[in-house]
Structure formats: structure tokens, C-alpha cells
Amino acid sequence: MTANVKLTPMLRQYLEIKEQHDNTILFYRMGDFYEMFFDDAEVASKILNITLTSRNNKSDAKKVPMCGIPYHAAQNYLAKLVRAGKRVAICEQVENPAEAKGIVKREVVRIVSPGVVTEDDLLDDKSNNYVCAVTRKETGKQFLFGLSLLDASTGEFLVGEFQDDTGKGEIVLDQLTRLTPSEILINEDTHNELSPLLQSARILLPDLCITERPDSLYHYESLQDQLLDHFQVTTLDGFGCRGFSTGVIAAGILLDYINETQKAGLDHISRITPIKLDSYLQIDDSSRRNLELTQTIIGAKRDGSLLAVLDQTCTPMGARLLKHNLLFPLQDRTEITQRHDCIGFLYQHSGTRKTFRELLDSIYDLERLTSRMILGSGNGRDMLAMKQSLGQLPTVLELLQKCSDVRKLEEIGSRFDPLDDLYTLLEKGINPEAPITLRDGNLIREGYNSELDELIAIQRDGKQMILALESTEREATGIAKLKVGFNKVFGYYFEVSRIHADKIPEHYIRKQTLVNAERFITPELKEFESKVLGAEERRLELEYQLFTEIRSKLGGESGRLLDTARELAAIDLFCSLAEVAQKYNYRRPNITDDDTILISEGRHPVIERSLPAGQFVPNDVLLNHEDQQLLIITGPNMAGKSTVLRQTALIVLMAQMGSFVPAAAATIGIVDKIFTRVGAMDDLRRGQSTFMVEMSETANILNNATSKSLVILDEIGRGTSTYDGLSIAWAVAEELVGKNDIGVKTLFATHYHELTDLAKNQDRVQNFSIAVREWNETIIFLHKLIKGGANRSYGIQVAGLAGVPDHVVDRAQEILKNIEQGGLENRGNSPASHPVQPKPRKKKTHPDQLSLFQPPPDRIHDFLASIDPDELTPKKALDILYELMDLVK
């Protein structure tokens, strides 16, 4: 692009800086604009939809493509480029153009990439924005993967190390889909080795930005030294990273990248936390999607997810912690119980909870505010937000001290730092009307600095000061008509009439003689002049200096600020879950170390929110290793089998994240893993058919489920022929009930009614079904889980409810009867394969039901539902018949 281009000194400087940042778009500051040239201009102009121009207008010279944006509007344009997956280098003028000799000195002060942004406009305040690094090492027949993630806006720093037999990094991929980083760093020389992992990551995270780093950086010793130096420690063992090798390399690469891109202190990165999967209830990517924990399957929307139901937080910090806890439920019974204690206390003491929430509602995102102070991007608005937030802390502490009966809240109170000194600093130093921009003045409050106060007074009271000076000199000299004047030639002067020449003091210096007067200056007058004329410029300079000093002081206290922010996030989380529990009638679960799951009147937390109060039909579920380890659940489509399955998994997950649950009561034995195989669709992006998706998920379950796991299966084997599907489903069920002679707690919904025969020879298999009643050629869904298998699938009736034309439904009924009586004739024709004429059908006396939920109350249906036919004597059956006749009448 630069061939045959006449390079000016400015363009040479641009290209020198650009060469150091080859894979970025360079925002090159020129006055009030950021300019882009050559390829950068062509790429950016298309993304930003701005005009592409040229720098050289001479017809005989090659033109240089260029485009520009106003510096004061850079944020909006920067956001578009980052969302397009671009990295942007911000190149500023680092010296005053008026004082520069030759070309103005410029430097890149910051690099912004999708994974490294700190501006509010570019971030989702309810989610972390991670950049991650992945490393891979072959150790014999196994592969060791290192993974590290860092949120530059909050300072959260994670590291993990994972063994992998295949080298494809499935465990790493599962963590990537769980934490959804925006950018991933890899060694440029290992791109091929990581190719399978990267291909899958690109598919599952389509907006992921992949950044290659030089191989020369990937040295364990130097990267470990960087980490030790940053944390000021001699070993990483204290962080729980003993024995990490590839993980340390990944973490070191991340720290190096943040240092390179931010060009500022990183004091807010004060700790590194190991990812130890054994500490958490593990949920794989497909199960997280099936259960719609953070977003819906269709549309990938937050609304309609479990997270949206549970999020009643008041602060962004609390919202992020809630999401983290939802994605990382616990296995530690003690910690879970302590969380339940907090929620129980705040549930019962609604006044305390309300006061906490009112205080939290006035607190801004302290984590990200602190990060901006450290990184040098905090502005006046950020300072005021921090001051308002810190102003609530003493009252928060007072309230915590009243919660001493709850261990976890007492611990938070004992650690809680109200940061009084930092609030005082902001109260005294920052103007309550401070602007966002830092070079326009009005940042510092009067009374904070004496020199600034004088400059402000000069600007505001300049005329009065001149009159005061004039009055003082009149008294001192005895010249009544002495006056102060000003001109552009020699500034301020004293003018005295010739008739008073004999009264002129000796220290007056004559500057000009007029016909009737003379003009003088004095050293004091010149000092006053320099103050008045330079007051505005000096004031702006001094205010900026004082502001940056205050910002640095806050950055220096980042550890205290972030610790307090974390405590506030925990309080917000507990208040939110207590608010949800009271609002939606959740109950505290009983957490045990045994293997029983007992849920009484459980409800689906998301689906019940879409229905009028009281219309969701609750269900009981019991799973154990004695007599109800695998439940075969039959019933027609639309009856609610999937709802029962999903709500059981969600109730277990909610209980172990520390939440109350949507049930009348629940006893939850600690679960180590939740697996779901719910629904199926072709995954064409990964080249997998419906059946392959089913079998891949099923294989994962069979290989990794333990006796402490919970497995949710919905329709195994639908993607192949009936006999193949039935055989696979049967074999899978047998494996789950007999695995390692202990078995796995499983809910298994199926349309294969033959599977109910498993209960005849497997003591721990029980048959259940979703209750359905027929009514005038249609069916009514009761959505109630009852003991015993269903004897019919009602597929044809459901087709009618779904709107299939009547004559097609009639024809299906005929074919079904013929198949049941004699099967198909040769050539696949039904014995009654003559054309069917549409015939009148009885008018339905019950409306079509497309809902999964409870129909309006009906006395006959309720009566029938209460009957257990297996316990009826002939006499009792006759009595019931008479009762039904009375009800009809």
C-alpha cells in the first residue's frame, strides 16, 4: 500500500507505530480527530460506515486512503470495531503541539480488544468479560491442557489444568462454553495442534476473537517469574496452584497480554483462583443448554432462562456473582447450608432485607469503577459514582452488625471495610458537578487546594480584584485619580495624570508617555497580570493534576475497594435469592450426604412464571438407590413429561447453588454431576445428525455418570428405526440401573411402552406416567405424575389437538386399527387402503388443548383422578358408578 507514496514526516511516524501493532487498527490522534490510513482506513470505513477519503489530492501522486472520527465520539466507534472482533490501538499525542519541535510525539497508550475492555459502553454489566489463554502439552499418551481466564474490568483471574486422553480438549471446551470468553490467546506455533478445539469453540461461540501470540513468549520460567513478581510472592502454592505447569504458562501469557494492552498498573488483579471442578456440581455444555440456565435454546435470550427468574439483584456485582454461582453450584454441604442460613434469615427478616436492598440500589459497580481508577481511565462521573457508593457503606456495616446470629453474615460484617477515608477524600476533593471530560476543568471542589482556590477566585472575581488593587494603590500613593488599564502591547498598567507626576513612587517603572498622562508598571502588577492572564490555563492544568492524584490514591487502595465490593456482591446475592424465595413461594431444601432425592410438590421455576398464579400442576419425585433408582415415565407428547424431568434437575441445581427451591419440601442428597439428554435436533454446524447428537450425549452420560450423579433422559433412540431405538433405549436403561453394581439416579421419559417391562425384573426400576383422560374423541392433560405406566401414547389424538385436518386423523385411526389387527399387506399397503372420504365428526365438547398446563377444574375429572382401580372391589366399583351418574345429572 505504501509503494510509490511520498511519505511525509507524519506518515513515517504513523507507519513506524503501525509496524509495532500490525494486527490492530491504529487510532492515530491528530488534533480533535483519530485518523486511520491505508488498509486500516479501508477496513474501518466499512465497519463504521464512514466516508473513505484520501490524503494526497495531487493528481500525479498516489493517494493515501484515510478516514477519521472525532475524538470526543470515539467510544461509539470503538464499540462497533470491538464488536466486529477487531483490536484497536489508541495512539495519543504525548506532548503539547505548541511546544513540539518538528513532528508531535505520539505513543500507543492502550490497546482495546474484545476481551480487554473496561468502558461501560462496551460491557454487559451483568456478565464478566473474559479474555482467556489455552496451552497444550503432550505427556506420554495423555495431553495436559492449561486454561486461564481474566476479566480486566473486575480483576477476576482464574487458572486451571486438565488431563485429556484424546488431545481434543473437550474439558477445556466445556469451560469455554460455561464462561463464554470474548477472546482467546494461543501460541502461533501450536495453531494446528489446537485446531479441533478452536473449530468447536468458533462454532459454539461464534463471536470469539482468536489472537495469536509469539512462540518466544511461551517459557515456563519467565512467565512464572512474571506472576510471582506481580503478586509479590515466592510461590503460587498459596493460591492453590501447586504443581500447575501448563496452567501457569496460560496465566502468565494472560498477564503479559494485559500489561501490553493496558500500559498501566494492574493492582486490581490481586489474586488468582484455581478452577477445581471436583468442588462443584458439574454440568456439561449440552445440559446447560437443555436446562436453559442462562439463555433460552431458541433465540439465545436471557428472558426465559433460570438466571432471569432468579436475578433480583440490585448491583451489577451481585448479578455477576449470581451468574457465577448458577454456573458453579457447590458440592460442599457446609457451605451450601451456610448460604441457606443467610437466605433463611433475610427471608424471615423482610425489613432488614428491604433496607439492605435500598442501600444496594444506591451503589454502583465498585469492581469496574476501581479497575478504571487503576487503569487511568476513570473520569469525573466515575468519581461521583464511587463517592455515592462509599457513602452507603457505614449504614451497610451497621445493618450487618445486627445480623450476628447468622455465621456467614457475621463473617462478612467482621471483614467489612466502610472505607471512610476514601469517602472523605472524594467528598472534599471532587466537585459534585464534575464533568465526564478531564480537560474542561470544574473537577476539583473549592477548599481542597489553596492554589486552585486562588486561581478560581481570580477567574471569578478578576474585576473586583483589579478595583481592589486600584484602590490600594490610590491610598498608598495619594493619587486619587490613579487607575488600572490594559492593552495588548504591554498588558496591565497604572495610568497617572501629569499633574501628579511628583507623587509617582520610585519603584514605578515608566512604560509609556501620553499627552496628558503617563503609564507605569510594577513587579507586583506584573505578578498579578501573570496570575490573571494564566489563571484559566493554569487552573485546567492544576485541576487535572489534582484529579489524577486522587485517582492514583484510589487505585492504590484497590485491594480494600475490591474486598468491600465482593462483600457487597455477596450481600446482594443473598438478598436477591431471599426476595425470589418470598416472592415465588420457594422453600428451604434439606441438604444431606446420602443418595436420596425427595421432592414434594415440585414446580418448574421458569414455566410457572408464565402462568397465572396457582395454575402450574406440582409433582412429587423420589429417587434413591433402594427401590426407585430409575423411573420410566410414559405418556403422550404435550402432557408434561419434559417439564417434570427438567424441573427435577433445576431444583437439585438450585439447592446446591445455595438457593431455596420451588417445592413444598425437598431433601437433596449431594449430587456430583447432572446429565441431561433432552430434545434433539440436527447440529449441522458440527456436521452431526439428530441421531449422532443423541448418541454422543448418551455416550458421555454412560462413560462419566457416577452413583452420585443425576441423569435426565428424554426419548433415547428416536433418531433411528423403532426396533433399533427400542433396543438402544433398553440397553441404556439397563446400564444406568446396574452401573458398577450401584447404578445412577435416573429419570427416563419414553414413548417405548415396552420399556415398562424393565420393572418386572429390576427391583430399582419403577414405572410412572403423566395422567391423561379421554373426553369425546379428544384427551385432557392432567399433568400429574402417577404410579404405573401409560397403556397408550395418544399420538393420533395429540395430532388432532395440534390442528391436523380431521380426515387425516380419521385415516390414521383406520390405519392404526388395521395394523393392530393384521399388519400391512404386500407392497406396504394397508388392508383398508382405499381412499377415505372426509366424514362428519361429533362436535368436540372440550376445547383443543395446546397448553402443557392444568385445565380448568372439573368435578368428574377430579373424582376419577382420585380413584385407584387396582384397589376397587366389585361393590365399590358399582357405588362409584352411581356417584358418577349423580355428578352427570
Side-chain angles (χ1 to χ4, degrees):
M1 288 290 291
T2 60
N4 302 320
V5 174
K6 184 177 180 180
L7 296 179
T8 64
M10 184 277 297
L11 280 177
R12 275 197 292 271
Q13 183 192 58
Y14 170 86
L15 290 171
E16 287 172 2
I17 297 172
K18 175 65 180 173
E19 187 177 3
Q20 300 170 26
H21 303 280
D22 190 38
N23 296 321
T24 66
I25 291 175
L26 186 64
F27 273 20
Y28 183 82
R29 181 71 176 271
M30 294 180 67
D32 290 339
F33 284 82
Y34 286 116
E35 302 287 0
M36 289 153 276
F37 300 97
F38 301 107
D39 291 340
D40 282 1
E42 294 184 352
V43 171
S45 63
K46 292 177 182 177
I47 296 173
L48 302 178
N49 194 26
I50 57 178
T51 303
L52 181 68
T53 61
S54 61
R55 182 161 180 81
N56 199 325
N57 292 321
K58 295 180 180 179
S59 58
D60 59 343
K62 187 172 181 179
K63 296 182 178 180
V64 176
M66 67 173 289
C67 64
I69 58 170
Y71 87 96
H72 58 79
Q75 282 297 102
N76 293 333
Y77 293 105
L78 186 62
K80 289 183 180 179
L81 290 171
V82 169
R83 291 187 185 114
K86 302 298 181 183
R87 302 170 74 244
V88 181
I90 311 296
C91 181
E92 296 286 3
Q93 298 172 172
V94 293
E95 67 175 336
N96 189 334
E99 299 174 359
K101 295 180 180 179
I103 192 74
V104 177
K105 187 178 179 181
R106 294 178 174 87
E107 291 178 1
V108 170
V109 298
R110 190 162 62 102
I111 297 173
V112 181
S113 70
V116 187
V117 292
T118 57
E119 292 82 356
D120 276 343
D121 297 343
L122 306 181
L123 293 168
D124 174 5
D125 61 358
K126 290 180 177 289
S127 299
N128 288 98
N129 185 65
Y130 291 112
V131 56
C132 81
V134 176
T135 56
R136 176 182 181 270
K137 180 173 72 175
E138 190 170 354
T139 56
K141 294 183 179 180
Q142 285 191 323
F143 298 88
L144 188 63
F145 282 86
L147 172 68
S148 187
L149 299 104
L150 174 62
D151 184 344
S153 70
T154 66
E156 184 176 2
F157 199 4
L158 307 173
V159 64
E161 220 169 66
F162 311 100
Q163 291 280 356
D164 187 288
D165 294 334
T166 65
K168 294 181 180 179
E170 289 294 330
I171 299 177
V172 173
L173 181 63
D174 190 51
Q175 301 313 307
L176 294 179
T177 55
R178 186 201 303 255
L179 295 167
T180 60
S182 301
E183 183 176 7
I184 184 170
L185 310 180
I186 63 167
N187 186 332
E188 61 185 3
D189 286 1
T190 62
H191 196 289
N192 291 337
E193 296 174 11
L194 293 172
S195 182
L197 173 62
L198 296 178
Q199 287 178 5
S200 297
R202 281 193 182 101
I203 291 167
L204 297 172
L205 302 170
D207 297 327
L208 183 65
C209 172
I210 297 176
T211 301
E212 294 186 353
R213 302 292 288 160
D215 178 65
S216 59
L217 297 176
Y218 286 75
H219 294 293
Y220 173 81
E221 289 78 10
S222 60
L223 292 172
Q224 183 187 47
D225 288 344
Q226 281 192 50
L227 290 167
L228 295 175
D229 184 60
H230 174 79
F231 292 117
Q232 295 294 293
V233 294
T234 57
T235 174
L236 296 175
D237 292 358
F239 293 110
C241 301
R242 179 189 293 272
F244 280 16
S245 56
T246 54
V248 166
I249 294 173
I253 285 293
L254 269 190
L255 190 65
D256 176 79
Y257 186 64
I258 297 297
N259 268 311
E260 177 185 303
T261 55
Q262 297 307 292
K263 314 284 186 182
L266 302 174
D267 291 346
H268 63 307
I269 304 172
S270 59
R271 67 186 71 179
I272 186 166
T273 305
I275 303 172
K276 295 185 176 178
L277 298 182
D278 291 343
S279 302
Y280 304 110
L281 165 58
Q282 296 179 42
I283 312 166
D284 60 21
D285 177 52
S286 63
S287 297
R288 287 193 298 271
R289 283 186 285 111
N290 289 336
L291 295 175
E292 299 183 301
L293 297 186
T294 60
Q295 60 184 27
T296 58
I297 295 176
I298 298 174
K301 297 177 180 177
R302 190 177 191 273
D303 287 345
S305 69
L306 177 61
L307 178 61
V309 171
L310 297 182
D311 190 0
Q312 296 283 330
T313 55
C314 299
T315 69
M317 303 169 291
R320 292 193 295 270
L321 182 60
L322 172 64
K323 184 176 181 180
H324 177 86
N325 285 7
L326 181 61
L327 293 173
F328 291 91
L330 301 173
Q331 290 195 52
D332 185 332
R333 181 187 174 194
T334 300
E335 177 65 21
I336 296 169
T337 302
Q338 287 182 8
R339 290 183 182 182
H340 288 156
D341 289 343
C342 285
I343 296 166
F345 176 84
L346 294 167
Y347 182 104
Q348 294 170 358
H349 297 80
S350 56
T352 300
R353 183 178 79 244
K354 181 181 179 183
T355 306
F356 267 132
R357 287 173 61 80
E358 288 172 351
L359 292 167
L360 290 165
D361 207 38
S362 299
I363 293 175
Y364 289 85
D365 195 338
L366 271 181
E367 286 181 329
R368 286 181 172 166
L369 287 172
T370 301
S371 299
R372 288 201 286 276
M373 300 304 159
I374 294 169
L375 297 171
S377 59
N379 56 37
R381 181 182 60 186
D382 294 332
M383 291 281 195
L384 294 175
M386 181 171 280
K387 185 184 81 170
Q388 178 175 320
S389 302
L390 301 188
Q392 314 305 315
L393 300 187
T395 312
V396 172
L397 180 56
E398 288 178 14
L399 205 55
L400 280 169
Q401 291 168 345
K402 297 177 182 178
C403 304
S404 57
D405 292 341
V406 184
R407 179 176 177 181
K408 205 162 191 66
L409 291 176
E410 182 186 23
E411 290 175 351
I412 291 174
S414 66
R415 296 189 301 262
F416 196 84
D417 184 350
L419 303 169
D420 297 319
D421 54 326
L422 301 186
Y423 175 79
T424 301
L425 173 66
L426 290 167
E427 173 66 19
K428 289 182 176 179
I430 301 300
N431 188 333
E433 298 179 356
I436 296 175
T437 55
L438 302 186
R439 296 290 186 178
D440 294 342
N442 208 30
L443 292 168
I444 304 300
R445 196 169 198 159
E446 285 189 63
Y448 181 73
N449 179 273
S450 58
E451 182 184 353
L452 178 62
D453 290 347
E454 184 180 359
L455 292 170
I456 292 172
I458 289 173
Q459 273 194 289
R460 183 177 57 219
D461 306 322
K463 283 189 176 182
Q464 284 75 15
M465 294 179 73
I466 290 170
L467 292 174
L469 180 63
E470 189 177 76
S471 175
T472 300
E473 288 298 318
R474 283 178 180 174
E475 289 182 14
T477 61
I479 303 172
K481 292 188 177 181
L482 179 146
K483 62 182 180 180
V484 176
F486 176 84
N487 66 34
K488 293 182 179 180
V489 178
F490 48 83
Y492 284 99
Y493 54 84
F494 293 128
E495 185 173 297
V496 181
S497 173
R498 280 179 175 274
I499 62 174
H500 298 294
D502 59 327
K503 297 181 181 180
I504 300 297
E506 292 183 2
H507 67 280
Y508 272 37
I509 302 170
R510 183 179 284 104
K511 290 298 292 183
Q512 190 177 21
T513 300
L514 304 177
V515 176
N516 296 316
E518 288 188 289
R519 293 174 175 173
F520 302 87
I521 62 170
T522 67
E524 294 79 11
L525 184 61
K526 288 291 106 178
E527 183 181 350
F528 172 79
E529 177 184 296
S530 64
K531 285 183 178 180
V532 171
L533 297 182
E536 182 176 4
E537 182 179 348
R538 174 58 185 153
R539 175 187 174 181
L540 294 177
E541 180 184 337
L542 181 57
E543 283 207 62
Y544 180 75
Q545 176 188 330
L546 294 171
F547 182 87
T548 56
E549 287 175 2
I550 292 173
R551 190 167 63 187
S552 296
K553 287 179 182 177
L554 294 170
E557 299 292 343
S558 62
R560 295 171 61 203
L561 282 162
L562 291 174
D563 285 344
T564 297
R566 293 185 188 103
E567 307 297 359
L568 289 169
I571 297 168
D572 193 12
L573 169 69
F574 297 138
C575 286
S576 174
L577 292 177
E579 186 80 6
V580 169
Q582 192 166 76
K583 192 173 182 180
Y584 301 146
N585 194 28
Y586 292 178
R587 292 289 179 265
R588 176 174 181 161
N590 177 32
I591 304 298
T592 69
D593 289 323
D594 62 24
D595 293 315
T596 297
I597 295 174
L598 174 60
I599 299 170
S600 175
E601 296 185 21
R603 313 185 304 276
H604 193 295
V606 179
I607 292 177
E608 74 164 342
R609 300 272 48 83
S610 65
L611 298 174
Q615 283 203 12
F616 188 93
V617 180
N619 277 295
D620 301 339
V621 171
L622 170 63
L623 287 166
N624 57 38
H625 284 303
E626 286 73 50
D627 58 354
Q628 288 203 178
Q629 186 173 66
L630 188 146
L631 308 188
I632 303 289
I633 302 175
T634 49
N637 285 323
M638 299 169 57
K641 297 192 302 295
S642 294
T643 300
V644 172
L645 267 60
R646 284 187 170 97
Q647 75 188 39
T648 302
L650 291 177
I651 287 171
V652 170
L653 184 151
M654 289 171 65
Q656 291 191 213
M657 72 173 278
S659 171
F660 282 19
V661 298
T667 297
I668 307 296
I670 296 289
V671 169
D672 64 351
K673 302 172 185 176
I674 292 178
F675 295 96
T676 69
R677 217 242 54 79
V678 179
M681 61 183 68
D682 288 357
D683 193 343
L684 298 178
R685 298 173 303 173
R686 302 181 75 176
Q688 293 184 339
S689 67
T690 300
F691 185 61
M692 179 57 76
V693 172
E694 278 190 42
M695 292 301 100
S696 296
E697 293 180 358
T698 302
N700 179 46
I701 293 169
L702 296 179
N703 289 326
N704 295 299
T706 73
S707 62
K708 301 287 288 185
S709 301
L710 172 63
V711 172
I712 303 297
L713 298 175
D714 193 356
E715 305 298 349
I716 292 289
R718 288 187 303 178
T720 186
S721 69
T722 301
Y723 293 125
D724 282 357
L726 173 58
S727 302
I728 291 170
W730 191 294
V732 167
E734 282 187 336
E735 171 66 13
L736 287 170
V737 79
K739 187 174 183 182
N740 298 325
D741 297 324
I742 301 175
V744 183
K745 295 184 290 294
T746 305
L747 294 176
F748 195 146
T750 183
H751 281 293
Y752 295 130
H753 293 270
E754 295 83 354
L755 279 181
T756 58
D757 289 343
L758 268 170
K760 295 177 181 178
N761 53 27
Q762 295 281 358
D763 293 338
R764 290 172 287 167
V765 176
Q766 298 292 335
N767 291 322
F768 283 80
S769 60
I770 305 296
V772 173
R773 294 295 179 263
E774 295 185 67
W775 182 270
N776 287 352
E777 298 186 13
T778 186
I779 55 175
I780 299 170
F781 301 127
L782 302 181
H783 309 299
K784 198 69 178 173
L785 187 66
I786 59 174
K787 195 74 178 287
N791 55 8
R792 293 182 58 189
S793 66
Y794 298 98
I796 294 174
Q797 286 89 340
V798 173
L801 291 176
V804 174
D806 288 348
H807 67 278
V808 177
V809 172
D810 290 338
R811 177 60 177 151
Q813 291 280 17
E814 287 191 33
I815 294 173
L816 177 62
K817 289 177 183 177
N818 289 324
I819 290 173
E820 290 174 343
Q821 292 170 4
L824 296 176
E825 294 178 344
N826 293 335
R827 299 181 304 280
N829 294 324
S830 168
S833 58
H834 53 77
V836 175
Q837 298 297 324
K839 61 184 181 182
R841 304 183 73 192
K842 291 182 181 179
K843 185 177 179 181
K844 295 178 183 177
T845 59
H846 192 287
D848 288 354
Q849 296 180 61
L850 300 183
S851 169
L852 288 176
F853 314 114
Q854 186 179 29
D858 185 293
R859 294 173 62 197
I860 294 177
H861 299 156
D862 293 342
F863 181 71
L864 288 171
S866 67
I867 298 170
D868 184 352
D870 295 332
E871 296 183 358
L872 293 183
T873 63
K875 175 68 169 64
K876 183 64 174 175
L878 190 60
D879 291 341
I880 288 173
L881 184 58
Y882 282 118
E883 288 184 50
L884 286 171
M885 291 179 65
D886 289 339
L887 287 174
V888 170
K889 292 177 182 178

